[in-house]
Amino acid sequence: MKNKSEHPIITVVGCGMMGSAITWPAAYNGCKIRFVGSPLDGEIIAHARATGEHLTLKRPIPAGTEYYTVDQLEEALEGADLSICGVSSFGLDWYLDYVIPRLPDGVPVLSISKGMIHLGEGKMISYPEKMEEVAAACGKKNIDFCAVGGPCTSYELADLDPSCVTFCGRKIELLREIRDLFEAPYYHVSLSTDVRGVECAVALKNAYALGVSLAIGMSYKREGREFEHYNSQAALFGQAVREMRILLNLCGGHPDNIELGAGDLYVTVFGGRTRKIGTLLGTGMSFKDAMEALKGVTLESIAIAGRTVEAAKSLESLGVIKADDLPLLYHIGRLLDNETGIDVPWKKFEKEIY
Amino acid sequence: MKNKSEHPIITVVGCGMMGSAITWPAAYNGCKIRFVGSPLDGEIIAHARATGEHLTLKRPIPAGTEYYTVDQLEEALEGADLSICGVSSFGLDWYLDYVIPRLPDGVPVLSISKGMIHLGEGKMISYPEKMEEVAAACGKKNIDFCAVGGPCTSYELADLDPSCVTFCGRKIELLREIRDLFEAPYYHVSLSTDVRGVECAVALKNAYALGVSLAIGMSYKREGREFEHYNSQAALFGQAVREMRILLNLCGGHPDNIELGAGDLYVTVFGGRTRKIGTLLGTGMSFKDAMEALKGVTLESIAIAGRTVEAAKSLESLGVIKADDLPLLYHIGRLLDNETGIDVPWKKFEKEIY
């Protein structure tokens, strides 16, 4: 990073829960934090200005944080040592169209938005790769796009629960500099230059956490009360790990990334919204009814699952995989398309290993 | 299997929770089940005879099950198509010394006892391999020892929660025949001829489930109440998967077995006794005090963790691995040796992947 001062300036664009929480350890380390609300974050910024509290995280924001609205984006980016892309998957298009052309060249970006984009014919690329493309098309050739993976929910990070994450990007030296800004006694950062692998592993966990949660709903349904069985959850968890390893390989990621993926899957099964939709589907509710029941909740996992199913089907049509290679993902796909109610293809999970 | 009748006879030696529960699906399929109590199972057999209920599973035993005491072992094995080794790790020596010499030659064994034995110098073999050796030494060269791996707790199996397990053994044809006895709408069986890999994966999960549970205790301690955080659990889960992959490789097992190991780790974190000891250690209690608090509880995970640490240290002394390759396992080892209280080596979990 150029011009790194004693108190580096970090500008977050998109101040949802994770975009905000990740600044806690940086503030702890003495960084100066600037929040820029996306067009969807107006209330969060107004509430923060008035109370010093984060509206959706429901926790006090570290003292010294400065607040900007979207029309003040350029001002907020002025002099920044690092910017953070803090939007969710649903804000990605806005970030690509509106923010990237306004980013100062030469200032690296750390993205908390995680995911893969299906380019057709089964080819998937990661968000940082996409950002890089868009920036290059704007003539900004000196922005390094890095990203955060690994099991970390925002509210627990804000509560200082010990977390282990991975920063990925093309340049290990830069990643080390960025790590120095965030590394804290409760925030542990591994590094990886395998951007595709890290992003693929952590994106997939969204779809599969929904898959594991199906067993929770099945158990509730059978017991007639909120009682969990774990054999069936574990069976789906094992199958999820199996299919994630297959997809990771298809994306060209390093096999070690399954360690991230498994940890991330674990935390997401306990993570709120994805668990809720999976549980409702597991009780036998249709996807349509489940979405109705969870009205107003943004479900990134649904978007990611849909995109992954679409990519898998492309690969199937190209003969690269067979539908039976990914029976859990395909079942999730059929659930989300309202083609079926819960009917886990247990028999298809059986295999023979020689 | 020779002489397989329409209602094959399965004799279980050792009628603890899992040895018994695995007969539920076989009874469902029309097999005739014989329970033989080990010297530790006297009360279980007496209670079953008197009430038809399993004393420790606390569930009714399928009708038609016959009960034998240990002095009736030969009678119970007479005409059996398959026998099950139903003892835990703690009963293994008794099984090797007393039962194996009395097994009818030519009748295969399916073992629910899972684990690895450290032969010194870091070399580990699986229980079925050890049983094979002992049987050969008794002149019984035609007993095939197969084993069960995969995420499955006994009480949930007895409750018919959908479960996916793996039977492993040297002969795929025999495994298919055994699968036919057990496969049920709620009990799904994969097969593997990679005995070492399956057994290694499922044995390791005992030690690592204790490791993941440490975060539960840490969270309770910090919050002053039974409140769980998941970032830290997921961080330990990811590190556990990492170390299990390393150990699986060192044992010579197929890398795919991590799928079993991860599922098994998941179910064991929710599995009762191992979670309890890990949680107590996580609150800062010494191992000595934690064992005192859980008096009378047999903890297979402790025995397995100790054995795995011992094997790892042998490998370290041979220069095959470094202590820092397995920081979580080594911390578990120090906790169990009363050398330290909880002090998770988070920094050592950090890595750089190129």
Side-chain angles (χ1 to χ4, degrees):
Chain A
M1 278 174 280
K2 289 187 286 194
N3 315 319
K4 211 171 75 180
S5 69
E6 202 185 336
H7 297 286
I9 297 170
I10 299 177
T11 300
V12 192
V13 184
C15 300
M17 292 169 69
M18 182 52 91
S20 303
I22 197 176
T23 68
W24 267 231
Y28 173 95
N29 288 334
C31 294
K32 292 178 68 170
I33 310 298
R34 298 173 180 169
F35 277 16
V36 186
S38 77
L40 299 172
D41 298 332
E43 279 183 68
I44 290 174
I45 294 294
H47 187 80
R49 279 179 171 155
T51 67
E53 194 194 68
H54 195 285
L55 184 66
T56 48
L57 267 178
K58 296 185 175 52
R59 280 150 178 92
I61 297 169
T65 300
E66 294 173 345
Y67 309 109
Y68 298 81
T69 45
V70 69
D71 53 299
Q72 299 169 299
L73 176 62
E74 278 95 341
E75 186 187 339
L77 286 165
E78 178 79 33
D81 296 279
L82 176 78
S83 78
I84 291 177
C85 166
V87 302
S88 80
S89 288
F90 298 116
L92 184 69
D93 285 340
W94 173 75
Y95 188 84
L96 295 174
D97 295 344
Y98 185 83
V99 181
I100 287 187
R102 290 167 174 81
L103 290 176
D105 208 5
V107 177
V109 171
L110 183 68
S111 171
I112 59 98
S113 188
K114 40 188 106 173
M116 301 292 286
I117 295 164
H118 179 220
L119 300 176
E121 305 215 328
K123 185 164 162 50
M124 297 182 88
I125 60 164
S126 66
Y127 286 4
E129 289 170 293
K130 179 68 185 172
M131 291 173 188
E132 209 168 60
E133 254 181 50
V134 172
C138 301
K140 293 173 195 281
K141 310 224 183 253
N142 291 309
I143 304 180
D144 291 290
F145 290 94
C146 307
V148 187
C152 188
T153 60
S154 54
Y155 43 95
E156 298 206 326
L157 172 55
D159 284 342
L160 317 189
D161 190 41
S163 305
C164 295
V165 301
T166 299
F167 289 177
C168 61
R170 294 189 191 276
K171 299 177 184 162
I172 194 76
E173 289 299 336
L174 174 63
L175 289 172
R176 287 182 189 139
E177 286 183 70
I178 298 177
R179 174 175 59 192
D180 287 346
L181 304 181
F182 291 89
E183 177 88 19
Y186 56 87
Y187 193 68
H188 307 281
V189 183
S190 291
L191 305 178
S192 175
T193 55
D194 177 13
V195 177
R196 185 78 63 85
V198 170
E199 287 297 287
C200 176
V202 301
L204 288 174
K205 65 99 203 318
N206 279 302
Y208 284 106
L210 192 155
V212 176
S213 308
L214 295 173
I216 304 171
M218 291 168 66
S219 181
Y220 285 5
K221 169 90 175 190
R222 222 184 93 208
E223 297 288 330
R225 61 191 169 115
E226 293 201 0
F227 183 87
E228 289 183 52
H229 285 290
Y230 292 99
N231 278 11
S232 43
Q233 281 182 49
L236 292 172
F237 195 95
Q239 182 65 24
V241 169
R242 178 177 181 76
E243 296 187 17
M244 286 166 74
R245 290 179 76 222
I246 293 171
L247 287 160
L248 193 53
N249 181 44
L250 289 171
C251 288
H254 191 287
D256 282 2
N257 287 299
I258 196 60
E259 296 155 15
L260 284 185
D264 227 332
L265 180 59
Y266 185 92
V267 86
T268 310
V269 171
F270 300 98
R273 295 171 295 186
T274 307
R275 177 189 181 94
K276 269 186 199 139
I277 187 96
T279 301
L280 290 178
L281 292 171
T283 63
M285 202 180 264
S286 73
F287 177 64
K288 197 169 149 287
D289 292 346
M291 287 303 276
E292 189 68 25
L294 294 177
K295 215 168 190 162
V297 167
T298 56
L299 275 169
E300 212 172 352
S301 57
I302 301 298
I304 292 171
R307 224 177 294 145
T308 311
V309 175
E310 189 192 289
K313 288 192 172 164
S314 294
L315 289 171
E316 186 194 340
S317 70
L318 293 170
V320 179
I321 56 165
K322 295 189 294 288
D324 280 355
D325 291 340
L326 304 167
L328 180 53
L329 184 69
Y330 273 64
H331 184 56
I332 294 168
R334 285 192 301 273
L335 282 168
L336 302 188
D337 286 344
N338 288 295
E339 285 174 16
T340 182
I342 180 81
D343 180 20
V344 177
W346 299 108
K347 280 295 283 184
K348 291 190 178 169
F349 298 168
E350 293 180 9
K351 52 198 168 291
E352 295 192 356
I353 301 171
Y354 303 95
Chain B
M1 279 176 280
K2 289 186 288 195
N3 315 319
K4 210 173 75 179
S5 69
E6 202 186 334
H7 296 288
I9 296 170
I10 299 178
T11 300
V12 192
V13 184
C15 300
M17 291 167 68
M18 183 51 92
S20 304
I22 197 177
T23 68
W24 266 232
Y28 173 95
N29 288 333
C31 294
K32 291 177 68 171
I33 310 297
R34 299 174 181 171
F35 276 15
V36 186
S38 77
L40 298 172
D41 298 333
E43 279 184 67
I44 290 175
I45 294 295
H47 187 79
R49 280 177 171 157
T51 66
E53 193 194 70
H54 195 285
L55 182 67
T56 50
L57 266 177
K58 297 184 175 55
R59 279 148 178 94
I61 297 168
T65 300
E66 293 172 344
Y67 307 109
Y68 298 81
T69 45
V70 68
D71 52 299
Q72 300 170 298
L73 176 62
E74 279 95 340
E75 186 188 336
L77 287 165
E78 179 79 35
D81 295 279
L82 176 77
S83 78
I84 291 177
C85 166
V87 301
S88 80
S89 287
F90 298 114
L92 184 69
D93 286 339
W94 173 76
Y95 188 84
L96 296 174
D97 295 343
Y98 185 85
V99 181
I100 288 188
R102 289 168 174 80
L103 290 175
D105 208 5
V107 177
V109 170
L110 183 68
S111 172
I112 60 97
S113 188
K114 41 188 104 171
M116 301 291 287
I117 295 165
H118 179 218
L119 301 176
E121 303 212 329
K123 186 165 163 48
M124 297 184 88
I125 60 164
S126 66
Y127 286 4
E129 290 171 292
K130 179 68 186 173
M131 291 172 186
E132 209 168 61
E133 253 181 52
V134 171
C138 302
K140 293 173 194 283
K141 308 218 184 258
N142 292 309
I143 304 180
D144 290 291
F145 289 93
C146 307
V148 188
C152 187
T153 61
S154 54
Y155 44 95
E156 298 204 327
L157 172 54
D159 283 342
L160 317 189
D161 191 41
S163 305
C164 295
V165 300
T166 299
F167 289 177
C168 62
R170 295 189 190 277
K171 300 177 184 164
I172 195 75
E173 290 298 338
L174 174 63
L175 289 172
R176 288 181 188 140
E177 285 184 69
I178 298 177
R179 173 175 59 192
D180 288 345
L181 304 183
F182 291 88
E183 178 87 20
Y186 56 88
Y187 193 68
H188 307 282
V189 183
S190 290
L191 305 179
S192 175
T193 54
D194 178 13
V195 177
R196 186 78 63 84
V198 170
E199 288 295 286
C200 176
V202 301
L204 288 173
K205 64 97 203 317
N206 278 300
Y208 284 106
L210 192 155
V212 176
S213 309
L214 295 173
I216 304 171
M218 290 167 65
S219 181
Y220 285 6
K221 168 89 176 192
R222 222 186 92 208
E223 297 289 331
R225 62 192 169 115
E226 293 201 359
F227 182 87
E228 289 183 53
H229 285 289
Y230 293 99
N231 279 12
S232 44
Q233 281 182 49
L236 292 172
F237 195 95
Q239 181 65 23
V241 169
R242 176 176 182 77
E243 297 188 16
M244 286 166 75
R245 289 179 76 222
I246 293 172
L247 287 160
L248 193 54
N249 182 42
L250 289 171
C251 288
H254 191 288
D256 283 1
N257 287 299
I258 196 60
E259 297 154 14
L260 284 185
D264 226 332
L265 181 59
Y266 185 91
V267 85
T268 311
V269 171
F270 300 98
R273 295 172 295 185
T274 307
R275 177 189 181 94
K276 267 186 200 141
I277 187 95
T279 301
L280 291 178
L281 292 171
T283 63
M285 202 180 265
S286 74
F287 177 62
K288 198 169 148 287
D289 291 346
M291 287 303 275
E292 188 68 25
L294 294 176
K295 216 168 189 164
V297 167
T298 58
L299 276 168
E300 213 171 353
S301 56
I302 302 298
I304 292 171
R307 225 179 291 145
T308 312
V309 174
E310 188 192 291
K313 287 191 172 167
S314 293
L315 289 171
E316 187 194 337
S317 70
L318 294 169
V320 178
I321 57 165
K322 295 188 294 288
D324 281 355
D325 291 341
L326 303 167
L328 180 53
L329 184 68
Y330 273 62
H331 184 56
I332 294 168
R334 284 192 300 274
L335 282 168
L336 302 188
D337 286 343
N338 287 293
E339 285 174 16
T340 183
I342 180 81
D343 182 19
V344 176
W346 299 108
K347 280 293 284 183
K348 291 191 179 169
F349 298 169
E350 292 180 9
K351 51 199 171 290
E352 295 192 354
I353 300 172
Y354 304 93

